[in-house]
Amino acid sequence: MEPQFDFAPAARTLATVVAGIADDQLTAPTPCVDTTVGTLLSHVVGLTEAFRQAATKESDGRSAPPSLDDPLPADWRTLIPAHLDALTAAWRVPEAWDGDAEAGGVVLPAAVMAMVALDEVTIHAWDLAVATRQSVTVDPGYLPILHEFLRDTDPSGTPGLFGPVVAVPDDAPAFERVLGLTGRDPGWRPTVSAADRRV
């Protein structure tokens, strides 16, 4: 099967956000409940490698469920962009899209697994950006792919993947509707401290 989309724009977006995170922001909260920026970065380190292995099929029968308990590697600033480059290259190989793929102990048709990977890379870029007061732009070509993947999400969410769906107006921007389907409030922002309020 030929690749259905290219990960490069999503990878660049996440890499740019990661580059903009300061050390003193690692303990800041994110839109993911009870998850700090540092914890989410650790998750990103793991998921980017897991989805690369899903493309190459080297994880078949050997992948483990994801964990938020892994410590953040000291070289995360260089490791995450390297993982993203490798993931992008792996999914450009037509054979990656054939048959089934495995990640985190879950087996799915490879094309579906690619959409899961795209969702994870794109949504966590937003999570990290909004948590660290950065802006993020999603490639418009991804929006119909993500909406198609998410449109049948159970309102109560998907355990281990999404929280309960957040109601978003039908006329809201497309990416905000996607965020709502992943259990995120598009209006979420970190708490403003007294120092932030000072002019």
Side-chain angles (χ1 to χ4, degrees):
M1 180 185 293
E2 288 300 310
Q4 303 300 296
F5 53 83
D6 185 22
F7 277 89
R12 283 195 298 269
T13 295
L14 179 53
T16 299
V17 172
V18 168
I21 296 174
D23 288 344
D24 63 2
Q25 293 177 313
L26 294 178
T27 57
T30 70
C32 305
V33 177
D34 298 327
T35 303
T36 65
V37 168
T39 301
L40 188 53
L41 284 167
S42 177
H43 176 61
V44 167
V45 169
L47 75 86
T48 48
E49 173 61 10
F51 285 120
R52 181 197 67 78
Q53 293 185 18
T56 63
K57 309 296 194 289
E58 64 192 83
S59 62
D60 288 1
R62 295 185 297 278
S63 67
S67 172
L68 287 173
D69 298 325
D70 294 332
L72 180 63
D75 60 347
W76 59 272
R77 291 186 182 279
T78 55
L79 189 59
I80 292 174
H83 278 191
L84 287 165
D85 286 345
L87 180 153
T88 298
W91 284 101
R92 283 177 172 164
V93 177
E95 289 77 12
W97 297 76
D98 293 337
D100 292 333
E102 180 179 341
V106 176
V107 178
L108 294 169
V112 177
M113 187 65 77
M115 288 192 285
V116 176
L118 179 64
D119 174 80
E120 289 282 291
V121 170
T122 301
I123 300 303
H124 286 325
W126 179 84
D127 290 331
L128 290 167
V130 73
T132 58
R133 305 183 190 281
Q134 299 183 63
S135 60
V136 67
T137 301
V138 176
D139 188 294
Y142 290 148
L143 296 176
I145 298 168
L146 293 171
H147 193 269
E148 176 65 21
F149 169 60
L150 295 164
R151 65 185 177 88
D152 294 327
T153 301
D154 189 290
S156 63
T158 304
L161 194 58
F162 306 127
V165 170
V166 173
V168 176
D170 291 340
D171 60 353
F175 185 54
E176 291 188 6
R177 299 198 301 275
V178 166
L179 288 171
L181 291 171
T182 68
R184 280 135 173 102
D185 176 2
W188 187 92
R189 297 293 182 274
T191 301
V192 177
S193 69
D196 291 330
R197 287 196 294 266
R198 286 201 295 267
V199 177

